[in-house]
Amino acid sequence: MKIGLFDSGIGGLSVLYELVKRIPSARYIYIADTFRAPYGTKPMEDILRISLEILSFLKLKGVDCIVSGCNTSDASLQSFKSDLGIPYYSIVKSVAFNELQGKVAVIGTEATVKSGIYKSQLENIGVTSVFQRSCQLFVAVVEEGITKGKMVDAIAKFYLTPVRRYNPSSVVLGCTHFPHLKRVIQSQLPGIFLCDPAKSVAEIVSRDCLLYTSPSPRDS
Ligand code: DGL
């Protein structure tokens, strides 16, 4: 089993980590498109063009499926209706596998928040109150390898104070860079459940992998 994934940088490693934990026997191809990072400040049509380019490249590399390692590119792909020819696992859609209720906040890149994609996914599963907050600078600090210290604390406080005031029961980490800052984010949002869609998408892929690889009754 060969699984492809990509992101604008190292964010998608949080998805890769969850996949390797569940499917250690698979082979992985990970593309970090650092040359064109960040994606979150670009217009959607540019993000879609880049995403389709990388999806074609991964297909040329012979992957059996592609797992989204980037919420922003996943948001752009929602408008792409053609068949990719191989299974594509959407990280944004996987949020529906979490039992979220009450007031939910979503933090993501500028483009993801602007697309409203999480808001509609959450509304589809019955969440009635969704607050969105773009935290674009988190991407830059993670790319710099800075995940703690005074500067990150100040950025987190700036972005997350309105989120805390909204008083949600859960906050969706709607960008794959954000799990790298989980401790800092949690310290600004004490007692609030941080929902990481990297875990739910990896769970869905691993269940499907079992189906592909489990012997049929006739084989046993
Ligand atoms: N890590 C990406 C995401 O999940 C993109 C971050 C960026 O390049 O702005 O949205």
Side-chain angles (χ1 to χ4, degrees):
M1 177 92 183
K2 208 169 167 185
I3 300 177
L5 61 164
F6 74 97
D7 181 41
S8 61
I10 60 171
L13 293 179
S14 58
V15 182
L16 181 61
Y17 174 75
E18 297 298 336
L19 282 168
V20 171
K21 261 204 304 200
R22 291 166 177 82
I23 324 167
S25 57
R27 289 168 64 205
Y28 295 93
I29 300 185
Y30 180 89
I31 295 175
D33 185 16
T34 50
F35 180 64
R36 293 180 287 198
Y39 287 173
T41 52
K42 293 183 170 47
M44 260 314 171
E45 53 275 22
D46 291 357
I47 303 166
L48 177 61
R49 184 181 38 78
I50 292 169
S51 304
L52 291 174
E53 224 176 270
I54 301 179
L55 289 175
S56 309
F57 179 74
L58 284 171
K59 275 181 70 181
L60 281 177
K61 289 284 170 194
V63 296
D64 299 297
C65 69
I66 295 172
V67 182
S68 171
C70 174
N71 295 263
T72 311
S73 100
D74 197 22
S76 78
L77 285 163
Q78 300 307 316
S79 64
F80 182 72
K81 298 290 175 223
S82 311
D83 185 14
L84 279 176
I86 53 171
Y88 170 78
Y89 292 89
S90 160
I91 189 165
V92 175
K93 286 189 178 160
S94 80
V95 79
F97 286 77
N98 297 277
E99 283 165 19
L100 300 177
Q101 286 171 343
K103 287 162 79 176
V104 175
V106 178
I107 55 174
T109 64
E110 282 172 22
T112 301
V113 164
K114 206 167 148 196
S115 75
I117 182 81
Y118 267 110
K119 195 172 182 321
S120 39
Q121 288 296 325
L122 290 166
E123 284 167 358
N124 284 347
I125 57 164
V127 175
T128 46
S129 181
V130 181
F131 177 80
Q132 302 190 93
R133 177 84 166 144
S134 136
C135 304
Q136 187 64 46
L137 265 182
F138 280 167
V139 176
V141 289
V142 169
E143 284 299 318
E144 288 293 326
I146 307 169
T147 54
K148 56 184 179 192
K150 284 187 179 156
M151 182 180 70
V152 185
D153 287 343
I155 297 170
K157 190 171 178 198
F158 169 76
Y159 283 135
L160 301 175
T161 300
V163 177
R164 194 178 55 238
R165 288 204 183 118
Y166 172 69
N167 195 23
S169 53
S170 318
V171 171
V172 177
L173 303 177
C175 170
T176 54
H177 281 78
F178 298 177
H180 297 285
L181 295 172
K182 208 167 173 182
R183 264 198 215 154
V184 180
I185 294 173
Q186 189 75 76
S187 69
Q188 291 295 326
L189 303 171
I192 298 175
F193 171 65
L194 299 183
C195 166
D196 182 1
K199 291 183 198 292
S200 32
V201 76
E203 200 52 48
I204 295 166
V205 180
S206 70
R207 276 188 223 165
D208 281 6
C209 273
L210 278 178
L211 289 179
Y212 300 144
T213 52
S214 62
S216 70
R218 260 189 285 144
D219 295 336
S220 53

mmCIF file of all heavy atoms in Angstrom, residues 7-9 11-12 36-41 69-73 91 108-110 112 136 139 174-177, ligand 1:
data_model
loop_
_atom_site.group_PDB
_atom_site.id
_atom_site.type_symbol
_atom_site.label_atom_id
_atom_site.label_comp_id
_atom_site.label_asym_id
_atom_site.label_seq_id
_atom_site.Cartn_x
_atom_site.Cartn_y
_atom_site.Cartn_z
ATOM 1 N N ASP A 7 1.436 18.954 1.707
ATOM 2 C CA ASP A 7 1.065 20.186 2.414
ATOM 3 C C ASP A 7 1.982 21.282 1.883
ATOM 4 O O ASP A 7 2.934 21.021 1.149
ATOM 5 C CB ASP A 7 1.266 19.990 3.931
ATOM 6 C CG ASP A 7 0.876 21.222 4.731
ATOM 7 O OD1 ASP A 7 -0.153 21.843 4.398
ATOM 8 O OD2 ASP A 7 1.604 21.591 5.670
ATOM 9 N N SER A 8 1.695 22.516 2.296
ATOM 10 C CA SER A 8 2.562 23.626 1.901
ATOM 11 C C SER A 8 3.917 23.518 2.606
ATOM 12 O O SER A 8 4.871 24.175 2.205
ATOM 13 C CB SER A 8 1.904 24.945 2.298
ATOM 14 O OG SER A 8 1.728 24.980 3.700
ATOM 15 N N GLY A 9 3.993 22.723 3.661
ATOM 16 C CA GLY A 9 5.247 22.612 4.420
ATOM 17 C C GLY A 9 5.194 21.431 5.357
ATOM 18 O O GLY A 9 4.745 20.352 4.968
ATOM 19 N N GLY A 11 3.355 21.079 8.075
ATOM 20 C CA GLY A 11 2.089 20.886 8.792
ATOM 21 C C GLY A 11 1.535 19.477 8.635
ATOM 22 O O GLY A 11 1.155 18.823 9.610
ATOM 23 N N GLY A 12 1.525 18.991 7.403
ATOM 24 C CA GLY A 12 0.935 17.687 7.108
ATOM 25 C C GLY A 12 1.646 16.526 7.789
ATOM 26 O O GLY A 12 1.137 15.397 7.787
ATOM 27 N N ARG A 36 6.194 27.237 -2.346
ATOM 28 C CA ARG A 36 4.989 28.062 -2.555
ATOM 29 C C ARG A 36 4.214 28.341 -1.263
ATOM 30 O O ARG A 36 3.114 28.875 -1.293
ATOM 31 C CB ARG A 36 4.089 27.393 -3.596
ATOM 32 C CG ARG A 36 4.754 27.410 -4.964
ATOM 33 C CD ARG A 36 3.889 26.757 -6.017
ATOM 34 N NE ARG A 36 3.841 25.312 -5.879
ATOM 35 C CZ ARG A 36 3.451 24.491 -6.847
ATOM 36 N NH1 ARG A 36 3.073 24.974 -8.010
ATOM 37 N NH2 ARG A 36 3.442 23.187 -6.663
ATOM 38 N N ALA A 37 4.819 27.982 -0.119
ATOM 39 C CA ALA A 37 4.152 28.240 1.178
ATOM 40 C C ALA A 37 4.183 29.737 1.483
ATOM 41 O O ALA A 37 5.122 30.423 1.071
ATOM 42 C CB ALA A 37 4.880 27.483 2.281
ATOM 43 N N PRO A 38 3.191 30.271 2.197
ATOM 44 C CA PRO A 38 2.011 29.566 2.677
ATOM 45 C C PRO A 38 0.915 29.533 1.616
ATOM 46 O O PRO A 38 0.902 30.351 0.699
ATOM 47 C CB PRO A 38 1.581 30.424 3.867
ATOM 48 C CG PRO A 38 1.955 31.828 3.455
ATOM 49 C CD PRO A 38 3.218 31.684 2.644
ATOM 50 N N TYR A 39 0.008 28.573 1.763
ATOM 51 C CA TYR A 39 -1.149 28.503 0.870
ATOM 52 C C TYR A 39 -2.276 29.429 1.365
ATOM 53 O O TYR A 39 -3.040 29.969 0.574
ATOM 54 C CB TYR A 39 -1.724 27.081 0.840
ATOM 55 C CG TYR A 39 -0.906 26.052 0.102
ATOM 56 C CD1 TYR A 39 -1.277 24.708 0.145
ATOM 57 C CD2 TYR A 39 0.227 26.381 -0.641
ATOM 58 C CE1 TYR A 39 -0.557 23.732 -0.530
ATOM 59 C CE2 TYR A 39 0.963 25.412 -1.310
ATOM 60 C CZ TYR A 39 0.557 24.087 -1.245
ATOM 61 O OH TYR A 39 1.274 23.120 -1.910
ATOM 62 N N GLY A 40 -2.355 29.553 2.680
ATOM 63 C CA GLY A 40 -3.519 30.191 3.301
ATOM 64 C C GLY A 40 -3.764 31.646 2.949
ATOM 65 O O GLY A 40 -4.862 32.159 3.164
ATOM 66 N N THR A 41 -2.753 32.324 2.394
ATOM 67 C CA THR A 41 -2.935 33.731 2.029
ATOM 68 C C THR A 41 -3.189 33.894 0.518
ATOM 69 O O THR A 41 -3.321 35.012 0.035
ATOM 70 C CB THR A 41 -1.672 34.545 2.407
ATOM 71 O OG1 THR A 41 -0.540 33.885 1.837
ATOM 72 C CG2 THR A 41 -1.500 34.651 3.911
ATOM 73 N N GLY A 69 -3.241 16.313 3.468
ATOM 74 C CA GLY A 69 -2.366 16.748 4.566
ATOM 75 C C GLY A 69 -2.489 18.244 4.775
ATOM 76 O O GLY A 69 -1.707 18.838 5.509
ATOM 77 N N CYS A 70 -3.486 18.848 4.103
ATOM 78 C CA CYS A 70 -3.614 20.302 4.130
ATOM 79 C C CYS A 70 -5.083 20.695 4.012
ATOM 80 O O CYS A 70 -5.732 20.418 2.998
ATOM 81 C CB CYS A 70 -2.824 20.877 2.950
ATOM 82 S SG CYS A 70 -3.031 22.651 2.777
ATOM 83 N N ASN A 71 -5.598 21.324 5.032
ATOM 84 C CA ASN A 71 -7.007 21.746 5.034
ATOM 85 C C ASN A 71 -7.287 22.793 3.965
ATOM 86 O O ASN A 71 -8.367 22.824 3.365
ATOM 87 C CB ASN A 71 -7.369 22.353 6.389
ATOM 88 C CG ASN A 71 -7.290 21.353 7.512
ATOM 89 O OD1 ASN A 71 -8.284 20.775 7.906
ATOM 90 N ND2 ASN A 71 -6.090 21.118 8.030
ATOM 91 N N THR A 72 -6.307 23.671 3.733
ATOM 92 C CA THR A 72 -6.504 24.769 2.785
ATOM 93 C C THR A 72 -6.651 24.215 1.368
ATOM 94 O O THR A 72 -7.555 24.619 0.622
ATOM 95 C CB THR A 72 -5.324 25.754 2.869
ATOM 96 O OG1 THR A 72 -5.100 26.077 4.240
ATOM 97 C CG2 THR A 72 -5.584 27.006 2.091
ATOM 98 N N SER A 73 -5.766 23.278 1.010
ATOM 99 C CA SER A 73 -5.879 22.698 -0.332
ATOM 100 C C SER A 73 -7.150 21.855 -0.413
ATOM 101 O O SER A 73 -7.844 21.842 -1.441
ATOM 102 C CB SER A 73 -4.628 21.887 -0.664
ATOM 103 O OG SER A 73 -4.836 20.534 -0.494
ATOM 104 N N ILE A 91 -9.590 15.706 4.690
ATOM 105 C CA ILE A 91 -9.427 15.936 6.141
ATOM 106 C C ILE A 91 -10.601 16.754 6.681
ATOM 107 O O ILE A 91 -11.081 16.522 7.788
ATOM 108 C CB ILE A 91 -8.052 16.595 6.448
ATOM 109 C CG1 ILE A 91 -7.800 16.634 7.962
ATOM 110 C CG2 ILE A 91 -7.897 17.976 5.848
ATOM 111 C CD1 ILE A 91 -6.360 16.912 8.346
ATOM 112 N N GLY A 108 -8.197 28.175 11.640
ATOM 113 C CA GLY A 108 -7.593 27.702 10.401
ATOM 114 C C GLY A 108 -6.825 28.819 9.720
ATOM 115 O O GLY A 108 -6.580 29.877 10.315
ATOM 116 N N THR A 109 -6.473 28.572 8.466
ATOM 117 C CA THR A 109 -5.785 29.611 7.703
ATOM 118 C C THR A 109 -6.820 30.635 7.207
ATOM 119 O O THR A 109 -8.028 30.384 7.256
ATOM 120 C CB THR A 109 -5.053 29.019 6.480
ATOM 121 O OG1 THR A 109 -6.030 28.468 5.604
ATOM 122 C CG2 THR A 109 -4.035 27.980 6.887
ATOM 123 N N GLU A 110 -6.318 31.738 6.674
ATOM 124 C CA GLU A 110 -7.229 32.771 6.139
ATOM 125 C C GLU A 110 -8.159 32.173 5.080
ATOM 126 O O GLU A 110 -9.370 32.394 5.098
ATOM 127 C CB GLU A 110 -6.420 33.897 5.495
ATOM 128 C CG GLU A 110 -5.832 34.851 6.501
ATOM 129 C CD GLU A 110 -4.869 35.845 5.851
ATOM 130 O OE1 GLU A 110 -4.957 36.079 4.623
ATOM 131 O OE2 GLU A 110 -4.012 36.373 6.583
ATOM 132 N N THR A 112 -9.006 29.000 4.454
ATOM 133 C CA THR A 112 -9.945 27.983 4.950
ATOM 134 C C THR A 112 -11.123 28.649 5.651
ATOM 135 O O THR A 112 -12.287 28.308 5.422
ATOM 136 C CB THR A 112 -9.233 26.992 5.899
ATOM 137 O OG1 THR A 112 -8.171 26.367 5.187
ATOM 138 C CG2 THR A 112 -10.179 25.928 6.427
ATOM 139 N N GLN A 136 -3.387 32.722 10.847
ATOM 140 C CA GLN A 136 -2.413 32.472 9.785
ATOM 141 C C GLN A 136 -0.953 32.459 10.281
ATOM 142 O O GLN A 136 -0.138 31.666 9.819
ATOM 143 C CB GLN A 136 -2.599 33.508 8.671
ATOM 144 C CG GLN A 136 -1.757 33.267 7.443
ATOM 145 C CD GLN A 136 -2.099 31.974 6.706
ATOM 146 O OE1 GLN A 136 -3.263 31.659 6.477
ATOM 147 N NE2 GLN A 136 -1.076 31.207 6.343
ATOM 148 N N VAL A 139 1.145 29.353 11.147
ATOM 149 C CA VAL A 139 1.810 28.576 10.089
ATOM 150 C C VAL A 139 3.277 28.995 9.984
ATOM 151 O O VAL A 139 4.184 28.156 9.955
ATOM 152 C CB VAL A 139 1.085 28.775 8.728
ATOM 153 C CG1 VAL A 139 1.816 28.057 7.600
ATOM 154 C CG2 VAL A 139 -0.372 28.318 8.816
ATOM 155 N N GLY A 174 -8.252 23.381 12.494
ATOM 156 C CA GLY A 174 -8.531 23.300 11.063
ATOM 157 C C GLY A 174 -7.362 23.644 10.166
ATOM 158 O O GLY A 174 -7.560 24.127 9.042
ATOM 159 N N CYS A 175 -6.164 23.402 10.646
ATOM 160 C CA CYS A 175 -4.947 23.570 9.837
ATOM 161 C C CYS A 175 -3.947 22.563 10.397
ATOM 162 O O CYS A 175 -3.790 22.458 11.618
ATOM 163 C CB CYS A 175 -4.403 24.991 9.969
ATOM 164 S SG CYS A 175 -2.761 25.195 9.227
ATOM 165 N N THR A 176 -3.279 21.840 9.495
ATOM 166 C CA THR A 176 -2.412 20.751 9.972
ATOM 167 C C THR A 176 -1.136 21.246 10.648
ATOM 168 O O THR A 176 -0.421 20.467 11.265
ATOM 169 C CB THR A 176 -2.055 19.805 8.811
ATOM 170 O OG1 THR A 176 -1.482 20.585 7.739
ATOM 171 C CG2 THR A 176 -3.281 19.075 8.305
ATOM 172 N N HIS A 177 -0.868 22.542 10.547
ATOM 173 C CA HIS A 177 0.271 23.090 11.298
ATOM 174 C C HIS A 177 -0.060 23.216 12.794
ATOM 175 O O HIS A 177 0.838 23.256 13.620
ATOM 176 C CB HIS A 177 0.657 24.482 10.768
ATOM 177 C CG HIS A 177 1.466 24.451 9.506
ATOM 178 N ND1 HIS A 177 0.910 24.222 8.270
ATOM 179 C CD2 HIS A 177 2.801 24.633 9.285
ATOM 180 C CE1 HIS A 177 1.858 24.270 7.341
ATOM 181 N NE2 HIS A 177 3.013 24.518 7.936
HETATM 182 N N1 DGL B 1 -1.148 23.283 6.708
HETATM 183 C C1 DGL B 1 -2.066 23.842 5.837
HETATM 184 C C2 DGL B 1 -3.513 23.648 6.251
HETATM 185 O O1 DGL B 1 -3.834 22.627 6.844
HETATM 186 C C3 DGL B 1 -1.728 25.123 5.086
HETATM 187 C C4 DGL B 1 -1.011 26.226 5.798
HETATM 188 C C5 DGL B 1 -0.609 27.359 4.828
HETATM 189 O O2 DGL B 1 0.201 27.076 3.953
HETATM 190 O O3 DGL B 1 -1.142 28.478 4.954
HETATM 191 O O4 DGL B 1 -4.363 24.443 5.967
#
